[in-house]
Amino acid sequence: MKPELARGDASRPRIEETGRRIGEGTALSDRALVVQRARAGEERLAHQFLVEAGYPVSASEHLAQRERPGYQICERLLLRSGARILAHLRCPRRPTRLAGESWDLLELTEWAVHPAIPIDLGGVLWETAQVEARGTKELGIVTSCPLPSSESEANWVRVRQPPWHELSPADFLAHLDQRRQNHRITPLTGSQANTPLGIRVWRHVEQAALRRLYRKHATGWGARERSEEYWRWLISRRSFDRIYVAVEGTGATGFDDPEEAIVGYAVVRGIWVIEWAAGRAPVFRRLLKRIAQDAMERDVVAIRVAPPWGPPQAVDRCRQLLAAAGRVISPPLTWHAKFFHPLRLIDRLRPVLAERALNAESFPVSELGFDVQGHRFQIVLDGDRTLLVRDRLGRSHLRLDLPTLLQLLLGSHSVDDLVADGRISASTKLAEQGARVLFPPLEWQISPWDTAPALDS
């Protein structure tokens, strides 16, 4: 790996277990500022600071985070002046699904700065966390926090997310009735037509069914990997109001044997459907109908719906229904990603690049070179294999900078947009066509359920 392709951080302060002075000229009272990991016994102190700084972490949520599998107090970074905490940043690991496999990324969250100091001063925690991540060979970082101004030019990529939808429950139910009267709903055929489908509230003993559906359908970019232990924690922390399940079968079969009979679920918190998954479009429709009916009983005027998880055809039909019955809204959280080692990232993506080239109707080149700010490498496609060759460019190549390369690899921008903006210069038309096949735009489906705060007791 060429270190020049990663942003240089040699001048940034490294984290130390016992703390480090940020600068003799930066001080409050008579004490210099230091960055430290939180130590055992400082849980209550850290939560007290978050409350004082106005960060919305309830006592229930703080306790739930301490009980999360794998939690350690040292994942909290603190900026101190003497014994006083001035800024806080939590850095847990987030196993994330990317390109068909699990990637162990670092997540930066719960960033809070005391109102008495400039917010940019708290950005030193971000710098320290990234220096430490590079030192431990972390591949990358994700965050839903607003980026500090010091990070605006630091190669962060805003990931592309599918749209959410907002629906009026009354209008949605009226839309379903109209569709039924116009016979525009495709009738079920075969065994599906004879199998009743019921929607009911989930039972606590049915965790295995949720895990099965999540493992089957949450396979896109950005989905969190959930172990059995993590599932138990996620449910026990009570960050939802109710969970609905779609059950196939009669009361004597499916309803009493839900392990295989449950074919879909939806997690609801307030007016938000924060996660739902199913294998067929009719299941999505029935789940949303039940949610809308219950929302009307509570006089809810609008519900907001996350993108569904499921087979592409079922998801497309569900999105068409949502678009026809409601309006598109932005996701509640904006996520950014940053990868420290672009060549290592490309190396991990080689099987995916080979699959994209094989699945294309025609792939115009066998070699695609990259000139990234003077550093050259080439992707060589050899049948079902992809090779990464350094210090070679070739006739068909792209010239671009490092932020653009990361946007290309993470699918946040299309090749056409980057070429039109002048951020990619292609040596040949074949190079541009090859890049379109290898690096299509990608949507990251990041479930809000993992980050939704626990409900107060």
Side-chain angles (χ1 to χ4, degrees):
M1 175 61 56
K2 282 186 174 293
E4 296 85 357
L5 283 180
R7 186 180 179 215
D9 286 85
S11 62
R12 293 184 173 184
R14 286 192 177 275
I15 183 174
E16 299 179 2
E17 296 292 344
T18 58
R20 174 182 176 87
R21 291 181 181 276
I22 303 304
E24 296 298 334
T26 307
L28 269 104
S29 350
D30 57 346
R31 310 295 291 271
L33 301 182
V34 297
V35 173
Q36 289 182 330
R37 292 185 184 273
R39 296 183 290 264
E42 294 186 327
E43 293 286 2
R44 180 174 295 182
L45 190 64
H47 181 239
Q48 211 169 32
F49 167 76
L50 290 171
V51 173
E52 292 175 358
Y55 194 90
V57 176
S58 65
S60 298
E61 171 62 13
H62 188 73
L63 178 61
Q65 291 300 339
R66 293 171 59 181
E67 295 173 345
R68 175 180 53 82
Y71 172 81
Q72 295 180 333
I73 180 63
C74 61
E75 69 186 34
R76 298 182 185 273
L77 288 180
L78 306 177
L79 177 65
R80 294 178 181 269
S81 174
R84 184 184 180 191
I85 299 176
L86 298 176
H88 172 283
L89 181 68
R90 193 162 61 86
C91 313
R93 278 182 171 78
R94 184 186 180 97
T96 304
R97 194 80 178 167
L98 299 176
E101 61 176 299
S102 181
W103 302 53
D104 203 15
L105 304 180
L106 206 66
E107 181 181 355
L108 304 186
T109 183
E110 290 186 18
W111 180 47
V113 181
H114 197 282
I117 68 170
I119 191 170
D120 289 345
L121 192 58
V124 72
L125 294 180
W126 289 67
E127 299 172 358
T128 307
Q130 292 175 71
V131 171
E132 173 69 7
R134 285 193 177 92
T136 56
K137 307 301 182 184
E138 297 285 354
L139 191 62
I141 292 179
V142 293
T143 185
S144 59
C145 296
L147 299 178
S149 58
S150 59
E151 295 293 315
S152 59
E153 302 294 332
N155 299 334
W156 286 95
V157 175
R158 179 174 177 175
V159 301
R160 180 193 296 257
Q161 297 182 71
W164 284 53
H165 290 83
E166 184 177 77
L167 308 170
S168 162
D171 291 347
F172 176 73
L173 294 174
H175 178 79
L176 289 184
D177 288 340
Q178 186 64 40
R179 282 167 56 94
R180 186 177 300 106
Q181 292 173 10
N182 294 340
H183 303 286
R184 287 157 59 183
I185 297 179
T186 304
L188 299 178
T189 58
S191 60
Q192 294 180 9
N194 300 320
T195 305
L197 179 64
I199 308 297
R200 61 169 171 79
V201 175
W202 169 81
R203 298 166 182 167
H204 200 275
V205 295
E206 296 167 346
Q207 289 187 30
L210 302 189
R211 292 199 301 268
R212 171 177 56 82
L213 290 168
Y214 183 86
R215 187 168 54 249
K216 180 178 181 180
H217 298 303
T219 57
W221 284 59
R224 178 172 180 131
E225 292 282 2
R226 296 174 181 167
S227 64
E228 185 174 343
E229 186 180 19
Y230 182 88
W231 264 104
R232 289 196 296 268
W233 170 82
L234 185 65
I235 291 172
S236 65
R237 68 194 285 252
R238 290 296 302 177
S239 58
F240 59 90
D241 291 310
R242 63 193 63 83
I243 299 176
Y244 296 95
V245 291
V247 187
E248 281 187 335
T250 65
T253 57
F255 285 86
D256 294 328
D257 184 18
E259 175 57 27
E260 294 300 327
I262 292 180
V263 294
Y265 73 90
V267 183
V268 178
R269 179 186 172 118
I271 66 170
W272 300 85
V273 180
I274 55 178
E275 181 175 301
W276 57 328
R280 304 194 314 273
V283 180
F284 285 124
R285 186 170 61 245
R286 292 288 299 274
L287 281 168
L288 200 54
K289 179 180 179 180
R290 170 64 184 271
I291 293 169
Q293 289 171 338
D294 287 359
M296 284 192 66
E297 292 181 1
R298 302 192 310 273
D299 296 326
V300 173
V301 297
I303 54 177
R304 295 173 180 176
V305 185
W309 275 328
Q313 185 177 5
V315 169
D316 288 344
R317 290 180 60 188
C318 180
R319 289 188 181 181
Q320 292 170 8
L321 174 63
L322 292 170
R327 68 182 185 94
V328 173
I329 60 173
S330 300
L333 295 176
T334 299
W335 285 85
H336 290 82
K338 182 177 185 179
F339 285 78
F340 301 123
H341 309 285
L343 288 183
R344 194 185 303 172
L345 174 59
I346 294 175
D347 189 54
R348 291 279 297 269
L349 291 176
R350 286 188 299 115
V352 177
L353 300 179
E355 183 180 0
R356 290 172 182 170
L358 288 173
N359 292 338
E361 294 183 2
S362 62
F363 192 70
V365 293
S366 60
E367 300 176 347
L368 182 61
F370 293 80
D371 185 337
V372 184
Q373 299 173 211
H375 303 280
R376 299 180 174 186
F377 60 93
Q378 192 177 55
I379 295 175
V380 180
L381 297 155
D382 181 16
D384 59 350
R385 297 190 308 156
T386 302
L387 306 177
L388 182 61
V389 182
R390 303 186 190 188
D391 302 318
R392 200 168 81 180
L393 194 59
R395 181 172 180 271
S396 294
H397 60 266
L398 307 176
R399 295 184 184 274
L400 64 169
D401 59 16
L402 180 55
T404 305
L405 174 64
L406 291 174
Q407 291 174 348
L408 201 64
L409 297 177
L410 300 183
S412 64
H413 291 72
S414 68
V415 172
D416 292 338
D417 290 341
L418 294 173
V419 170
D421 292 341
R423 302 185 61 184
I424 288 181
S425 174
S427 63
T428 64
K429 285 292 184 183
L430 294 179
E432 190 175 323
Q433 294 169 9
R436 286 196 195 97
V437 174
L438 293 182
F439 306 107
L442 297 170
E443 291 182 337
W444 289 43
Q445 288 189 275
I446 305 176
S447 173
W449 192 11
D450 295 294
T451 53
L455 297 172
D456 285 328
S457 300

